[in-house]
Amino acid sequence: MKQSRKWKRLGWEGSLMLLGALAAGAFAGIGSCDQSKTSGIGASSAAGASGTVAIPGPATNSQDLSVIQTAVQSLTNGRQTFRFDTFGDEAFWGDALKLHQAIEGSANGGVGPGVSPKTALSVGLKVDADVVPADVAAGIKSGAVDLDDPKTTLALLKLNAVVGVTGIFAADGSLKSMGIQCALCHSTVDDSFLPGIGRRLDGWANRDLDVGAIISLAPDLSPFTQLLQVDDATVRKVLAAWGPGKFDAELGLDGKGFRPDGKTAATLLPPAFGMAGVALHTWTGWGSVTHWNALVANLEMHGKGTFFDPRLDDAAKFPVAARAKLGHVTNDPDLITPKLGDLHLYQLALKAPPAPDGSFDADAAKRGGALFEGKARCAGCHVPPIYSEPGWPMHLPAEIGIDDFQANRAPDGRYRTSPLKGLHTHMKGGFYHDGRFPTLADVVEHYDSVFGLGLSAGEKADVIEYLKSL
């Protein structure tokens, strides 16, 4: 039962449990190495989960077994990396920025007031309910556990319960450093226990996360001021402008904190699910999923690995990156590159979650689907079933009727056709790379105007219901 609960939480299609015998075309089970504890708040809801993988063909041979065993081990490793691996980035977030001292607070050996669970939740950090022991959960419910006390945050970090954040503790129990993981921005929780506390939802964009506010807590921002060659006040002004659900991956490459219109240059955190079959990652198509994983792990998370991208040598386009030689990163040992393959497979296995029952009008969605592939011309770019373009899904800004600011911060000068499945998970923050369209209705109106589609009000409404159904 414990094993099946773990597989249920993976969220992989079919859960990839291996059952049965070779003659029957299925395989013996392989357990996972999930660090989560099944005795936590959310464990009981996963009871009874099971699944099988059917192996096609008249017979199953040893190669089939090897492939499945390799895939399951790789998925397990990739999930571990996605959720828990800092890639050695604690040397930046803790040792350099000293962000852990702000979390502790002066009462616990750090600086300032400290970060209580309520403060952490208010800036979008999430707590994995499955690793919170039952007695602690009961204390939270009863009020016996003080959510206004930074000591409680430290206790949650010791449990490895804060999604995407790892506390590095000394032998005496004090917090000596901290690091972050992929899951910080690209996982959330289902709020099944309390808002911000629940079961993990890997691959979901955390549109509550105020990355800028969190970084601004750091006592020492000199790593940013030195890289960007600006003062502390400028860095804090840029970070304060981001707001919930946004991050600026290009800031450390081109040094542009704001758009020409004065708005933040940060973009919305995208989901990391539904990427199987999609050629390029990110809003502006920097490269494949695994290229972006390498870039982010090395240049954004500040892990210790190897990264090569000579496009960053362009001093006119990427002055900060060219000056710092960010396209030519090496570390020994390399804590990132050996994990990219497993991480890639895990992300590709994260399917977009289906729209919840009752969240859309089924009849209207059916009509909208016909419009999507017909009069509305959506499927010309958002090709089902991947809802992006097979091949090179890139378009000039003029083709989609928007400005070129963000496109020009990327090597290709274009915008990617973003996949559409699972839109219901990231309605918060708006649509397009910068959230410029607050609602799906605004998106449909934009394309109706740019392409002269002539959609009626009813047709627009039907297309919206179809988009909500994906």
Side-chain angles (χ1 to χ4, degrees):
M1 183 65 72
K2 181 183 293 185
Q3 194 175 71
S4 68
R5 288 174 181 166
K6 291 177 180 178
W7 285 105
K8 174 72 177 251
R9 287 199 303 275
L10 294 180
W12 304 332
E13 183 177 13
S15 22
L16 277 177
M17 286 197 69
L18 310 177
L19 304 174
L22 288 175
F27 301 96
I30 298 176
S32 77
C33 61
D34 188 357
Q35 288 188 3
S36 300
K37 298 181 177 69
T38 56
S39 61
I41 298 169
S44 62
S45 66
S50 63
T52 60
V53 174
I55 307 302
T60 300
N61 57 37
S62 60
Q63 185 184 48
D64 293 334
L65 176 60
S66 176
V67 168
I68 294 298
Q69 289 175 329
T70 299
V72 171
Q73 186 60 59
S74 183
L75 287 167
T76 300
N77 294 343
R79 180 186 61 176
Q80 183 77 6
T81 296
F82 184 89
R83 292 182 175 182
F84 302 113
D85 207 313
T86 67
F87 307 118
D89 66 21
E90 57 270 20
F92 179 82
W93 299 101
D95 303 350
L97 293 183
K98 301 178 176 58
L99 190 54
H100 65 291
Q101 293 182 3
I103 293 173
E104 285 181 303
S106 58
N108 301 300
V111 298
V115 176
S116 70
K118 282 187 179 178
T119 298
L121 294 171
S122 74
V123 294
L125 291 169
K126 306 296 181 181
V127 175
D128 182 355
D130 283 336
V131 299
V132 177
D135 58 336
V136 176
I140 293 173
K141 283 286 191 182
S142 69
V145 172
D146 188 357
L147 297 182
D148 288 308
D149 190 343
K151 285 185 179 179
T152 306
T153 302
L154 297 176
L156 291 171
L157 284 170
K158 286 181 179 178
L159 291 169
N160 215 9
V162 181
V163 175
V165 180
T166 292
I168 313 296
F169 288 88
D172 63 1
S174 62
L175 184 64
K176 68 175 184 178
S177 191
M178 59 157 290
I180 63 171
Q181 293 86 39
C182 306
L184 176 66
C185 295
H186 301 292
S187 290
T188 185
V189 297
D190 63 5
D191 297 337
S192 54
F193 184 71
L194 287 173
I197 306 176
R199 290 177 290 270
R200 285 178 181 261
L201 297 170
D202 282 353
W204 293 45
N206 186 351
R207 292 288 175 83
D208 297 319
L209 189 69
D210 196 331
V211 182
I214 293 169
I215 296 175
S216 291
L217 293 173
D220 184 358
L221 290 180
S222 62
F224 287 106
T225 62
Q226 292 169 10
L227 175 66
L228 299 172
Q229 296 187 354
V230 297
D231 59 22
D232 185 272
T234 299
V235 171
R236 293 185 184 279
K237 179 180 178 182
V238 170
L239 295 174
W242 289 2
K246 287 188 175 183
F247 174 73
D248 190 354
E250 282 83 9
L251 175 65
L253 307 179
D254 63 15
K256 296 177 180 178
F258 296 92
R259 303 185 331 200
D261 63 4
K263 294 181 179 179
T264 178
T267 58
L268 287 168
L269 295 170
F273 55 58
M275 295 303 298
V278 177
L280 300 176
H281 204 8
T282 79
W283 303 111
T284 49
W286 272 80
S288 66
V289 173
T290 196
H291 165 274
W292 193 246
N293 285 343
L295 186 152
V296 169
N298 282 280
L299 306 187
E300 311 297 341
M301 294 171 64
H302 302 274
K304 296 184 177 298
T306 301
F307 181 68
F308 177 71
D309 191 337
R311 297 175 298 179
L312 295 179
D313 296 337
D314 184 344
K317 196 177 189 74
F318 306 112
V320 178
R323 183 174 62 242
K325 301 186 183 306
L326 296 184
H328 307 272
V329 175
T330 58
N331 282 279
D332 185 16
D334 183 340
L335 302 180
I336 297 173
T337 307
K339 299 160 186 172
L340 290 176
D342 292 340
L343 177 62
H344 189 197
L345 185 60
Y346 179 62
Q347 286 178 279
L348 294 183
L350 292 171
K351 292 188 65 178
D357 291 342
S359 64
F360 62 93
D361 183 320
D363 291 334
K366 184 176 181 180
R367 296 190 300 268
L371 289 162
F372 186 92
E373 299 198 27
K375 182 177 179 180
R377 294 164 45 190
C378 309
C381 296
H382 298 279
V383 181
I386 63 173
Y387 293 93
S388 183
E389 286 155 314
W392 195 252
M394 302 295 290
H395 292 274
L396 290 168
E399 295 178 61
I400 55 177
I402 65 171
D403 67 272
D404 62 4
F405 172 75
Q406 198 65 33
N408 287 341
R409 301 180 78 195
D412 200 44
R414 288 166 167 80
Y415 292 105
R416 179 196 65 158
T417 301
S418 296
L420 300 177
K421 284 189 174 180
L423 283 177
H424 68 92
T425 70
H426 51 280
M427 294 282 190
K428 187 179 294 185
F431 298 92
Y432 271 46
H433 58 283
D434 53 9
R436 65 181 58 200
F437 297 118
T439 67
L440 287 174
D442 296 309
V443 175
V444 174
E445 286 287 352
H446 171 74
Y447 281 119
D448 184 57
S449 174
V450 170
F451 297 136
L453 300 174
L455 297 174
S456 69
E459 288 171 331
K460 293 173 185 176
D462 288 346
V463 171
I464 291 168
E465 292 304 305
Y466 178 69
L467 292 173
K468 289 163 57 178
S469 75
L470 295 177

